[in-house]
């Protein structure tokens, strides 16, 4: 009897280990994505870092009833982009109510970059202080000696306080529109005021609003922070300092008044491509794409890169990052989130290969695909 029980237990255990360690062979966008323990990956609004032969995926740990940060920022590692090992929480929320990252704050869209000079990993993310909705609109950073943390939280702020963007004209510097006194809702007058830089001037002394964001490191090692600013109406691109741990004051406004969020970016054949979303909160909308020969512009809009069913909803998802696949000449993965705000932990990942048609990036739905 005893040995029968023991044998059954052994069989069950080995079956379980087979299930949880089954190697994934294909991307299945929109399906549950089990990690090495068989648990759906919890790294939303994420970004990847490639370091010494491994990919690291950083993202927001989402819970069942809230999108606020109850746990922190998580990390997974992989050598094939399909099978991910849970490396745990690399920046936990704080139990100190006074901390910027107090449990219950909002930590979104984390991105990690490695600085070869300082040998430090720098984690940047969008931070909102607990119980203040989205009004604080700050960027925050944490630093670590290892890609798997733990990261030491440094500070949060609104970038470029007191500094005009390099593409802000003298005429724009003279404008004195009080944009907050204009009637609420959309209007031409409001759009023109945004384009003229009324929010930028309103926020000049305290620093620019910084919500949805990504970080991009160019071939020459310079790093850039790309963020939804000016009440989400205008994107700004700001250069980081050489150690990647602050802003150096050089920045531009792009796509002024065009209402872009969720910026993701890649460089191919000397051109920079940015894929963003419109601003409809957790609900999906049509992606937008723009191209430039230089990061600081001029950026030219190319329209929605998605084609086919649900192209107008970015296949029911919102961009978060674009990763070049190492060792492949021309393979870039578009990463997006299919949000489920009623049960945030269940949100799915939409990873799709970027195709090029007449040299223009195109996104098409695939139920399954592999590298
Ligand atoms: C989205 C944004 C997300 C999150 C959400 C909150 O537009 O991309 O990162 O901030 O709004 O409603």
């Amino acid at each position: 009897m005893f040995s029968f029980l023991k044998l059954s237990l052994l069989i069950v255990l080995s079956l379980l280990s087979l299930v949880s360690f089954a190697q994934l062979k294909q991307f299945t966008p929109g399906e549950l994505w089990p990690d090495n323990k068989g648990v759906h990956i919890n790294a939303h609004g994420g970004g990847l870092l490639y370091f010494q032969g491994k990919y690291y995926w950083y993202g927001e740990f989402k819970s069942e009833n809230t999108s606020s940060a109850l746990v922190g920022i998580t990390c997974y590692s992989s050598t094939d982009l399909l099978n991910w090992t849970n490396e745990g929480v690399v920046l936990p929320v704080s139990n100190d109510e006074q901390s910027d990252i107090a449990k219950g704050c909002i930590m979104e869209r984390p991105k990690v970059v490695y600085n070869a000079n300082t040998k430090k990993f720098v984690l940047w993310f969008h931070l909102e202080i607990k119980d203040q909705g989205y009004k604080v609109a700050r960027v925050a950073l944490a630093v670590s000696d290892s890609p798997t943390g733990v990261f030491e939280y440094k500070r949060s702020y609104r970038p470029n306080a007191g500094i005009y963007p390099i593409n802000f004209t003298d005429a724009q510097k003279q404008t004195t529109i009080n944009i907050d006194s204009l009637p609420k809702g959309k209007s031409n007058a409001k759009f023109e005021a945004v384009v003229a830089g009324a929010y930028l001037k309103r926020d000049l002394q305290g620093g620019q609003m910084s919500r949805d964001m990504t970080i991009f490191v160019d071939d020459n090692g310079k790093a850039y922070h790309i963020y939804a600013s000016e009440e989400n109406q205008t994107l700004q691109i700001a250069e980081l300092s050489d150690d990647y741990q602050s802003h150096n004051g050089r920045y531009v406004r792009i796509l002024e008044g065009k209402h872009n969020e969720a910026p993701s970016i890649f460089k191919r054949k000397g051109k920079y491509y940015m894929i963003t979303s419109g601003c409809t909160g957790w609900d999906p909308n049509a992606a937008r794409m723009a191209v430039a020969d230089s990061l600081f512009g001029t950026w030219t809009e190319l329209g929605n890169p998605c084609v086919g069913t649900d192209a107008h909803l970015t296949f029911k998802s919102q961009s978060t990052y674009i990763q070049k696949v190492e060792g492949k000449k021309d393979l870039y993965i578009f990463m997006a989130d299919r949000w489920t705000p009623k049960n945030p932990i269940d949100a799915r990942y939409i990873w799709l290969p970027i195709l090029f048609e007449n040299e223009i990036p195109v996104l098409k739905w695939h139920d399954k695909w592999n590298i």
Side-chain angles (χ1 to χ4, degrees):
M1 183 63 177
F2 173 72
S3 56
F4 174 72
L5 273 180
K6 215 161 134 185
L7 187 67
S8 321
L9 189 69
L10 266 178
I11 292 172
V12 169
L13 282 179
S14 32
L15 279 178
L16 271 179
S17 72
L18 270 184
V19 172
S20 48
F21 291 110
Q23 290 288 300
L24 300 174
K25 301 239 160 34
Q26 307 189 80
F27 295 99
T28 52
E31 300 295 319
L32 287 171
W33 193 340
D35 67 6
N36 60 314
K37 292 179 185 145
V39 178
H40 182 48
I41 291 172
N42 199 333
H44 306 274
L48 301 191
L49 167 73
Y50 182 74
F51 180 72
Q52 293 184 347
K54 256 193 188 176
Y55 296 93
Y56 295 87
W57 176 355
Y58 302 89
E60 308 157 23
F61 184 101
K62 296 273 193 204
S63 303
E64 271 161 16
N65 302 312
T66 174
S67 276
S68 298
L70 300 184
V71 173
I73 290 172
T74 45
C75 175
Y76 293 78
S77 66
S78 172
T79 49
D80 63 5
L81 290 159
L82 266 169
N83 294 282
W84 292 92
T85 300
N86 188 341
E87 301 283 359
V89 180
V90 292
L91 179 64
V93 293
S94 169
N95 288 323
D96 172 2
E97 282 289 315
Q98 300 311 312
S99 165
D100 285 359
I101 55 168
K103 185 173 176 178
C105 71
I106 292 173
M107 298 162 104
E108 287 181 344
R109 301 187 175 272
K111 307 287 179 287
V112 173
V113 283
Y114 173 68
N115 188 291
N117 295 324
T118 61
K119 302 204 171 7
K120 301 275 186 202
F121 297 83
V122 187
L123 161 61
W124 287 92
F125 58 100
H126 166 204
L127 175 85
E128 299 289 346
I129 300 291
K130 188 181 174 190
D131 296 333
Q132 296 196 39
Y134 279 84
K135 88 173 209 288
V136 170
R138 287 193 209 152
V139 68
L141 75 149
V143 176
S144 168
D145 292 325
S146 139
T148 52
V150 174
F151 285 75
E152 186 191 342
Y153 178 71
K154 294 286 182 188
R155 61 190 166 274
S156 72
Y157 59 97
R158 285 187 172 189
N160 297 314
I163 304 170
Y164 281 117
I166 56 181
N167 63 348
F168 209 60
T169 63
D170 286 340
Q172 285 172 322
K173 287 180 193 162
Q174 303 312 318
T175 49
T176 53
I177 312 161
N178 177 358
I179 193 161
D180 294 318
S181 68
L182 296 177
K184 286 212 182 318
K186 283 188 178 173
S187 67
N188 279 343
K190 200 154 190 182
F191 175 76
E192 281 162 20
V194 171
V195 174
Y199 284 129
L200 181 132
K201 287 196 73 173
R202 181 195 70 183
D203 295 338
L204 190 65
Q205 290 320 316
Q208 297 300 309
M209 299 178 85
S210 176
R211 290 199 182 113
D212 278 8
M213 54 149 283
T214 194
I215 302 282
F216 176 75
V217 180
D218 209 342
D219 303 330
N220 60 6
K222 278 205 177 310
Y224 297 83
H225 173 214
I226 303 166
Y227 51 105
S229 192
E230 304 178 30
E231 302 288 356
N232 294 347
Q233 307 280 321
T234 293
L235 288 172
Q236 296 182 356
I237 303 186
E239 212 171 277
L240 297 183
S241 54
D242 289 345
D243 66 0
Y244 301 169
Q245 295 185 32
S246 63
H247 290 72
N248 72 6
R250 273 173 51 77
Y251 75 112
V252 291
R253 311 169 71 215
I254 67 159
L255 306 172
E256 292 94 324
K258 293 283 173 73
H259 231 131
N260 286 281
E261 280 191 327
S264 61
I265 185 168
F266 69 106
K267 185 179 188 181
R268 176 180 183 258
K269 299 188 182 172
K271 287 191 187 300
Y272 302 85
Y273 296 90
M274 182 149 39
I275 301 180
T276 63
S277 74
C279 300
T280 51
W282 301 115
D283 295 332
N285 55 51
R288 297 103 175 262
M289 182 165 61
V291 63
D293 292 325
S294 144
L295 267 175
F296 275 4
T298 308
W299 286 85
T300 307
E301 289 170 278
L302 296 175
N304 184 353
C306 304
V307 296
T309 307
D310 287 333
H312 66 298
L313 295 176
T314 318
F315 314 113
K316 301 189 196 133
S317 70
Q318 186 184 27
S319 42
T320 184
Y321 198 74
I322 295 167
Q323 176 66 42
K324 180 169 191 327
V325 179
E326 296 297 324
K328 294 275 167 189
K329 193 161 157 265
D330 209 18
L331 181 55
Y332 301 80
I333 301 179
F334 171 75
M335 296 165 49
D337 298 281
R338 182 176 285 172
W339 302 115
T340 48
K342 290 203 176 97
N343 184 14
I345 196 172
D346 192 44
R348 305 299 168 88
Y349 307 100
I350 307 298
W351 287 24
L352 295 168
I354 299 183
L355 313 173
F356 296 95
E357 294 182 358
N358 302 320
E359 297 293 302
I360 304 288
V362 171
L363 291 167
K364 290 185 181 164
W365 179 258
H366 298 260
D367 286 331
K368 291 185 174 140
W369 66 281
N370 59 40
I371 286 173

